[in-house]
Amino acid sequence: MFIATIFTLLITSCNNTNTNKMEKSKGISKSSFGTADGKEVFLYTLINSKGSEITITNFGGIVTSWVSADKNNIKSSIVLGYDSLSGYLATHPYFGAIVGRYGNRIAKGKFSIDSVAYTLAINNGPNHLHGGLKGFDKLVWEPTVENDSVPSLMLSYLSKDGEEGYPGNLKVDVHYTLTDEDELKIEYNATTDKKTVINLTNHSYFNLTGDVSNNILDHVLQIDADHFTSVDSTLIPTGDITPVKGTPFDFTQPTKIGLRIDSVMGGYDHNFVLNKTDASLTKIATVSEEKSGRVLEVFTTEPGVQFYTGNFLDGKLKTSGGKSIGQHAALCLETQHFPDSPNEPSFPTTILLPGQKYHTVTVYKLSVIK
Ligand code: BGC
């Protein structure tokens, strides 16, 4: 049942009874964030016992900020985002959003299931990208605060049969939890009443320095992937699963992102085939940044991850503080099934059947080395 359970849990309280200083404490608070599609949209602030703070809006399920302390105890947000809804209502490259029904590309916007052909919007060169013209990133989701002791928010949406060209009524819920270990856990669940395809992800753009004036080329990355999916000039997989060894795609050892990026046309925007062989929640990548001391570990149940270095950011978009968001100002690690899987029978399937439960989990865990 998609019931909007909208209630306010303002756990912001006076921690220290001996002073007048108000400190925010663990829990979830809710505030108005504006209006979209004629509906009021909210901003939820999740705070853990360490004082780390994640804000999420039910417009597009967007993670708008993740504020934590660096090694010098300076607090800043490690994800790109706006502090007002207007930035998200304008065109932006999926900052922090839930991406679906199909995260990533489907060649020429076409696929078939049981000989029935489906046609999707072409919104990226000759291809379909990230769910279409009005994908899950641009919708108002039904919010439910699930738990305030382990701050947890559920966003639900019913995508009707035929929406954006996809078959089946798809019921989706996405659960966000901020743990005391500074983990953002995102769980995706879905069911359908007709055979369909699905590939949900989160499109957060990370910059561990907390300042977009610094690009991410000095960030150090390790991905547990011996292979990646080679792509054509429109970023559609050729079907080849290519070894990373001896290529700029070898991140099996911690490596500065900028070291070999110039040998990859446009920068990294590729799906890595993770070495994990089952759907268990497994650590698949680590990003670190020396000056802030911050480390981000990524765990997922998914078989792939799109590593994207913000190649198409060109400085035109600005942060709420007015800073230009330039090329490589942030990186994405979009956990997922492989791009264009509906047209590549050899890739792990993205088909969801009636009666089946789609369930994937991704955890982003932040820590600081002092
Ligand atoms: C894609 C990029 C795209 C970006 C923003 C990434 O997932 O792979 O090609 O530019 O999303 O849309």
Side-chain angles (χ1 to χ4, degrees):
M1 284 275 285
F2 278 50
I3 304 169
T5 310
I6 299 178
F7 58 100
T8 305
L9 278 170
L10 193 53
I11 318 285
T12 305
S13 64
C14 204
N15 254 354
N16 186 339
T17 47
N18 297 323
T19 70
N20 289 326
K21 204 171 133 207
M22 296 293 284
E23 282 180 18
K24 294 175 184 172
S25 61
K26 188 169 170 179
I28 299 190
S29 61
K30 173 186 164 193
S31 57
S32 184
F33 201 46
T35 306
D37 288 346
K39 296 176 197 149
E40 189 174 9
V41 166
F42 300 98
L43 191 67
Y44 292 86
T45 304
L46 286 64
I47 301 178
N48 70 8
S49 60
K50 289 186 179 164
S52 300
E53 204 171 305
I54 292 183
T55 50
I56 301 166
T57 171
N58 63 313
F59 177 74
I62 296 172
V63 176
T64 65
S65 73
W66 180 347
V67 176
S68 75
D70 70 5
K71 70 176 179 191
N72 300 312
N73 237 1
I74 296 170
K75 286 196 165 184
S76 53
S77 177
I78 58 145
V79 295
L80 296 191
Y82 298 118
D83 59 15
S84 70
L85 186 62
S86 55
Y88 296 112
L89 293 176
T91 304
H92 71 96
Y94 306 87
F95 287 150
I98 299 172
V99 174
R101 289 189 190 191
Y102 199 95
N104 221 310
R105 293 171 175 79
I106 295 181
K108 310 224 166 19
K110 290 196 183 305
F111 67 97
S112 298
I113 299 177
D114 297 338
S115 305
V116 179
Y118 295 96
T119 302
L120 311 170
I122 302 299
N123 59 341
N124 185 260
N127 302 316
H128 175 84
L129 177 71
H130 291 339
L133 301 178
K134 191 165 181 180
F136 288 0
D137 58 295
K138 297 179 186 69
L139 301 166
V140 179
W141 293 65
E142 293 286 354
T144 307
V145 172
E146 293 193 287
N147 192 337
D148 62 308
S149 57
V150 186
S152 179
L153 174 72
M154 174 172 73
L155 299 180
S156 305
Y157 181 70
L158 170 61
S159 176
K160 297 249 174 72
D161 187 13
E163 186 175 300
E164 289 293 331
Y166 292 95
N169 288 299
L170 187 77
K171 281 183 172 183
V172 189
D173 55 59
V174 181
H175 304 252
Y176 301 82
T177 306
L178 173 60
T179 72
D180 283 339
E181 285 70 49
D182 278 340
E183 295 160 320
L184 170 61
K185 181 177 184 192
I186 310 180
E187 286 181 79
Y188 306 84
N189 295 310
T191 53
T192 183
D193 61 359
K194 207 190 246 182
K195 207 168 175 182
T196 192
V197 295
I198 182 169
N199 193 25
L200 303 179
T201 192
N202 172 270
H203 211 304
S204 285
Y205 285 71
F206 296 97
N207 182 321
L208 298 186
T209 72
D211 180 354
V212 291
S213 320
N214 309 309
N215 64 38
I216 47 79
L217 299 183
D218 281 341
H219 286 43
V220 171
L221 172 67
Q222 189 262 327
I223 307 180
D224 198 11
D226 292 341
H227 297 85
F228 71 107
T229 47
S230 293
V231 286
D232 68 14
S233 61
T234 71
L235 297 177
I236 291 293
T238 58
D240 293 336
I241 304 286
T242 308
V244 296
K245 205 172 167 55
T247 77
F249 298 92
D250 190 349
F251 284 97
T252 52
Q253 298 303 314
T255 308
K256 265 197 184 166
I257 291 171
L259 188 67
R260 300 160 308 187
I261 196 169
D262 289 341
S263 350
V264 182
M265 180 112 80
Y268 295 99
D269 194 358
H270 294 79
N271 172 63
F272 286 69
V273 176
L274 299 171
N275 291 339
K276 68 203 284 291
T277 51
D278 60 19
S280 60
L281 185 64
T282 308
K283 182 165 146 184
I284 56 104
T286 306
V287 191
S288 60
E289 196 282 318
E290 208 181 326
K291 288 195 192 112
S292 64
R294 289 189 176 107
V295 178
L296 183 75
E297 293 163 288
V298 184
F299 302 73
T300 193
T301 58
E302 290 278 26
V305 65
Q306 184 85 4
F307 170 45
Y308 172 57
T309 43
N311 311 331
F312 301 110
L313 300 172
D314 58 6
K316 287 193 188 124
L317 294 176
K318 302 218 174 353
T319 63
S320 300
K323 288 186 182 174
S324 287
I325 304 172
Q327 194 182 36
H328 310 317
L331 66 95
C332 302
L333 287 164
E334 301 154 58
T335 54
Q336 60 179 7
H337 271 55
F338 306 169
D340 202 31
S341 298
N343 295 308
E344 286 289 353
S346 64
F347 289 177
T349 185
T350 49
I351 294 273
L352 183 68
L353 302 171
Q356 259 184 349
K357 283 190 177 153
Y358 175 88
H359 175 72
T360 72
V361 184
T362 292
V363 175
Y364 296 99
K365 179 177 168 57
L366 192 60
S367 56
V368 173
I369 298 173
K370 299 234 177 187

